[in-house]
Amino acid sequence: MIKKVFFRILPLITFFLLFPCIGGAREIAPIVSTDWLQTNIGNPQLIVLDIRRVEDYREGHIPGAISSFYGGWAYKQGELYSEIPEKDDLEDLISSLGISLKSWVVVAGDTDTPRHSYQSARVACTLQYAGIENVALLDGGMNKWINEKKPLSTEIVRIKDKPFKGNFNKEKMFADKDYILKRMGEIILLDVREPEFFAGTKKLDCIPKMGRIPGAFNLPTSCAFNKDCTFKGKEELKEIAESAAGSDRNVEIVTYCDIGHCCPTWAYILKHVLGYKNVRIYDGAMQEWMQDPQAPLTR
């Protein structure tokens, strides 16, 4: 009996050693393995959010998972493509999913493309912005779950609304353009785009010009992942992050990308895996920055 219990909790012990929680508020690791999730299915405190397309969810999902397509978590506002929902809208969305401030929420997306791999962190950061501490990313996403032939369900999970009131702290989570302009030279800016975008030799169609914010360091989002789209180990992540952000865990850091899609990944890792205490996301990103002719730009 003791041996059976040990092997049941071994995935949990192993993952907490690999990715220890930062701070005392967390009850689950910031990145959880497929083995951990399979062990904890059925825990009434646990909610699995499947952020893939609805048709993918219907074809097969983690038993008990709730469908919540990524598009509902990143709104188009004016000319900006990927913005945080308004507080009222976000509270309504979270209410519809039956999530409370005490829930354990695991975000599971697909890893079919690099950008799909980055969506889970965007959703996780949005949930934490609303005040939910125990949010985690499923390492390797649904692709790893399916490749390992773990159980799948086609039952559509219906959730009863649960009134939700968020504990929002936008200033702690996000930086806007004015904040960056005032703090340039004092904060560490991390441009998490791929090197060709950082160097100004390539751009997205929705970005008016090539270039980057002066003084920014390049920390490509893809560098956080292994070839199979699982996250690299903590020591490797630490080495990569410190090459751009330094080793001071109290330094002020802002991550940014093209449209706000990719920058939450390193922000999440820096804060919740590596213990940097003062990390913000520039949600408006280069799409907003380049619309201001007075905002400095370099290549």
Side-chain angles (χ1 to χ4, degrees):
M1 178 66 182
I2 293 174
K3 185 180 289 185
K4 288 183 179 179
V5 171
F6 173 77
F7 282 108
R8 182 173 175 80
I9 66 172
L10 181 59
L12 176 59
I13 295 171
T14 302
F15 209 80
F16 268 86
L17 290 173
L18 288 175
F19 293 101
C21 297
I22 304 303
R26 272 191 171 272
E27 297 171 359
I28 61 173
I31 302 171
V32 298
S33 68
T34 51
D35 288 339
W36 181 92
L37 185 54
Q38 185 175 14
T39 299
N40 283 274
I41 288 176
N43 185 327
Q45 200 170 357
L46 176 67
I47 293 176
V48 180
L49 287 188
D50 188 324
I51 63 169
R52 299 175 300 159
R53 300 177 306 168
V54 174
E55 50 265 45
D56 295 329
Y57 173 84
R58 290 179 180 275
E59 287 180 4
H61 53 266
I62 295 167
I66 304 167
S67 179
S68 182
F69 177 53
Y70 171 77
W73 296 90
Y75 286 12
K76 186 177 187 298
Q77 294 181 357
E79 296 182 8
L80 303 182
Y81 284 8
S82 186
E83 295 299 289
I84 293 292
E86 297 294 334
K87 291 180 181 179
D88 290 348
D89 293 332
L90 188 52
E91 286 179 332
D92 288 344
L93 174 58
I94 295 172
S95 294
S96 72
L97 299 168
I99 296 172
S100 73
L101 290 171
K102 296 182 179 180
S103 294
W104 294 1
V105 184
V106 175
V107 184
D110 70 59
T111 57
D112 293 342
T113 69
R115 285 193 172 268
H116 282 191
S117 301
Y118 310 154
Q119 290 176 348
S120 293
R122 168 84 192 205
V123 174
C125 287
T126 304
L127 287 163
Q128 291 184 319
Y129 160 56
I132 302 162
E133 294 285 349
N134 288 296
V135 182
L137 309 179
L138 177 61
D139 197 21
M142 282 301 300
N143 296 55
K144 189 170 191 292
W145 183 275
I146 292 169
N147 290 338
E148 292 175 344
K149 302 188 185 306
K150 293 192 181 296
L152 293 171
S153 172
T154 56
E155 180 182 352
I156 307 302
V157 178
R158 311 289 182 185
I159 296 295
K160 185 178 180 181
D161 285 13
K162 180 182 291 185
F164 178 84
K165 187 68 176 176
N167 293 332
F168 296 97
N169 192 337
K170 193 168 186 177
E171 291 73 23
K172 185 177 180 180
M173 192 85 173
F174 299 102
D176 59 20
K177 183 181 63 177
D178 290 340
Y179 183 89
I180 294 173
L181 286 168
K182 291 176 183 176
R183 303 282 290 168
M184 286 184 70
E186 301 176 25
I187 60 176
I188 292 180
L189 285 167
L190 296 180
D191 186 321
V192 303
R193 298 176 297 170
E194 297 307 298
E196 61 269 28
F197 294 90
F198 175 78
T201 60
K202 190 175 180 180
K203 74 177 186 66
L204 297 180
D205 291 340
C206 62
I207 306 298
K209 294 177 285 187
M210 296 181 184
R212 62 182 182 270
I213 301 175
F217 297 92
N218 193 206
L219 185 63
T221 305
S222 62
C223 290
F225 295 88
N226 296 307
K227 288 183 179 180
D228 64 354
C229 293
T230 57
F231 286 97
K232 291 178 177 176
K234 183 183 175 183
E235 286 305 311
E236 192 170 0
L237 290 171
K238 176 176 178 286
E239 183 179 351
I240 294 168
E242 289 186 354
S243 69
S247 59
D248 183 357
R249 295 309 192 257
N250 295 309
V251 69
E252 189 173 358
I253 298 171
V254 175
T255 66
Y256 75 88
C257 57
D258 278 315
I259 62 173
H261 183 98
C262 305
C263 49
T265 298
W266 268 117
Y268 185 89
I269 292 169
L270 287 166
K271 185 172 183 179
H272 297 287
V273 176
L274 300 180
Y276 288 85
K277 298 175 183 177
N278 195 359
V279 183
R280 292 177 174 84
I281 297 166
Y282 177 28
D283 199 39
M286 292 307 291
Q287 192 175 33
E288 179 188 52
W289 188 269
M290 290 184 175
Q291 291 174 6
D292 182 354
Q294 302 303 316
L297 197 66
T298 190
R299 286 176 64 178

